[in-house]
Amino acid sequence: MSDPPSPELLTIPSKPSAPISHTFLPAINPPSSPQKQLIVFINGLGLPASSWLPGIHILHSTIKSCPPILTYDRYGQGLTTARDPLDTQKPLGHDFIDVAKDLQEIVTTIATARLGLQRSDLEEGKLHLLLIGASIGAPIVRLYVQHHPGIAAGIILLDSNIAVDYSAVWPDPDAPGFDPNLVVSDDCTLEQYRVEKAKVAMMFDLKVKNPEGLDRSNSALLVPHADAPKLMGVNGKGPLLTVVGHDPETFTEMSFMMMGTPRSLSRKLTNPYWARYNEGLTKITDEDKCDGVLIAKSCGHFIQKDDPSVVAKEVGSMIEKLEW
């Protein structure tokens, strides 16, 4: 595979003064098809668009035919230095819905500029997407498909962000009936638990600010359930869906090494909660369109960084299932 194209800037009609950095990789040996296809990678908060490139490199080196690929950095992220103009108009800044709207404008811009389509073609279902979302990219993908039924042929969700306050995953030690045995272990006293619970709240709760300026405070209202609503893909059916979760033990070790989180808390609280959430996500498409939750062995939360080959394998597998 040759070096990927350099990132370029595009503008969307609703925000012409705020250019967005993106990379468009043309198709490789595309088959003839009445529809156009496009693979779109949607970032989480922690990693920019460039984090997808190692996985894309592996993908391109292992398959003979591949649809065009789009990566991009949202406002205030990676190589997109422009801030979202909405941040000057909304008290808390732009939210997931705004990001999903931007995504539709980006897809439309690429479809007309790079794929030879007209806007009317998109309305007639002549563009099919494979969407890959990591972390908060997953709820963004869900909201996008929810508001644009008929465009998604496939979806891959990598360790989806859970739209609740992180501290809500851990029980309140001051609540009536709280059982200390739920949290106390050889590596964690009750006082330590209080400290750790406050720490994760300060780092991850929905109202915590982030460099991107993305308001997450209403995300629990926008995506309140893991298993609903069901999504409508192309041809009036649910899209193919792959749900990938982190390796529980790797996550446990990384949380301890990076944040000092007692291992017992990850094992007893965070990992089981996340596993149940991922299981719920498998229900957002038709029953025969998802094979259950896959675990990315030896990967923490940032799967595309920890093992790019996982991304390449799952994207390649879905391309094959879609017969693209």
Side-chain angles (χ1 to χ4, degrees):
M1 173 187 166
S2 59
D3 291 337
S6 298
E8 300 180 80
L9 295 176
L10 64 78
T11 57
I12 56 178
S14 67
K15 301 171 183 177
S17 64
I20 295 168
S21 175
H22 75 288
T23 299
F24 178 82
L25 294 89
I28 298 174
N29 301 321
S32 59
S33 171
Q35 289 85 25
K36 296 288 187 178
Q37 294 100 20
L38 180 65
I39 300 173
V40 185
F41 290 88
I42 294 92
N43 308 340
L45 276 178
L47 296 174
S50 59
S51 68
W52 298 110
L53 293 179
I56 293 170
H57 178 86
I58 297 170
L59 175 69
H60 277 176
S61 67
T62 54
I63 60 176
K64 295 179 179 180
S65 175
C66 185
I69 292 174
L70 172 68
T71 67
Y72 73 102
D73 285 317
R74 293 187 297 272
Y75 291 118
Q77 181 186 59
L79 297 178
T80 298
T81 57
R83 309 299 295 192
D84 192 325
L86 290 178
D87 292 349
T88 63
Q89 304 168 29
K90 301 177 70 172
L92 298 177
H94 64 288
D95 62 13
F96 283 6
I97 290 292
D98 299 316
V99 171
K101 290 179 179 178
D102 290 346
L103 176 55
Q104 175 62 3
E105 291 195 64
I106 292 168
V107 166
T108 301
T109 298
I110 292 297
T112 55
R114 299 281 196 161
L115 303 181
L117 294 174
Q118 303 296 319
R119 289 178 181 271
S120 59
D121 292 329
L122 275 69
E123 297 170 2
E124 295 170 5
K126 294 182 180 179
L127 176 64
H128 292 180
L129 300 180
L130 168 51
L131 299 157
I132 301 98
S135 189
I136 68 157
I140 291 169
V141 166
R142 292 176 61 191
L143 286 168
Y144 174 77
V145 177
Q146 183 181 332
H147 287 86
H148 299 280
I151 197 170
I155 296 172
I156 300 174
L157 304 179
L158 301 172
D159 218 34
S160 174
N161 170 263
I162 302 174
V164 297
D165 280 329
Y166 199 101
S167 58
V169 177
W170 295 11
D172 181 357
D174 297 316
F178 170 75
D179 181 1
N181 291 321
L182 293 173
V183 301
V184 173
S185 295
D186 291 343
D187 65 342
C188 185
T189 66
L190 182 57
E191 186 54 38
Q192 281 178 291
Y193 175 72
R194 291 179 182 276
V195 171
E196 293 299 324
K197 182 175 169 63
K199 185 194 299 183
V200 297
M202 291 179 62
M203 295 177 67
F204 300 119
D205 275 3
L206 299 181
K207 292 184 179 180
V208 175
K209 301 294 184 182
N210 53 76
E212 187 177 329
L214 176 59
D215 173 29
R216 300 182 298 126
S217 64
N218 64 349
S219 59
L221 299 175
L222 297 175
V223 279
H225 308 291
D227 58 357
K230 285 204 169 187
L231 302 179
M232 181 70 71
V234 300
N235 302 320
K237 299 178 180 179
L240 286 178
L241 173 65
T242 299
V243 178
V244 184
H246 62 251
D247 183 318
E249 276 308 299
T250 302
F251 180 87
T252 295
E253 289 303 315
M254 286 186 172
S255 296
F256 176 73
M257 296 300 294
M258 297 172 65
M259 299 183 297
T261 305
R263 294 179 178 91
S264 63
L265 297 183
S266 293
R267 290 173 178 145
K268 294 199 296 186
L269 302 178
T270 309
N271 283 332
Y273 192 100
W274 218 319
R276 290 191 297 272
Y277 191 87
N278 283 337
E279 188 61 37
L281 289 174
T282 67
K283 308 296 193 297
I284 60 174
T285 190
D286 300 337
E287 188 174 348
D288 62 340
K289 296 297 183 67
C290 183
D291 293 330
V293 180
L294 303 178
I295 298 300
K297 186 173 176 57
S298 301
C299 289
H301 182 55
F302 300 108
I303 292 172
Q304 73 268 39
K305 176 176 72 71
D306 293 343
D307 189 353
S309 69
V310 171
V311 177
K313 178 182 177 182
E314 296 310 323
V315 174
S317 175
M318 190 162 287
I319 290 173
E320 184 177 351
K321 291 177 183 176
L322 293 170
E323 299 182 343
W324 283 8

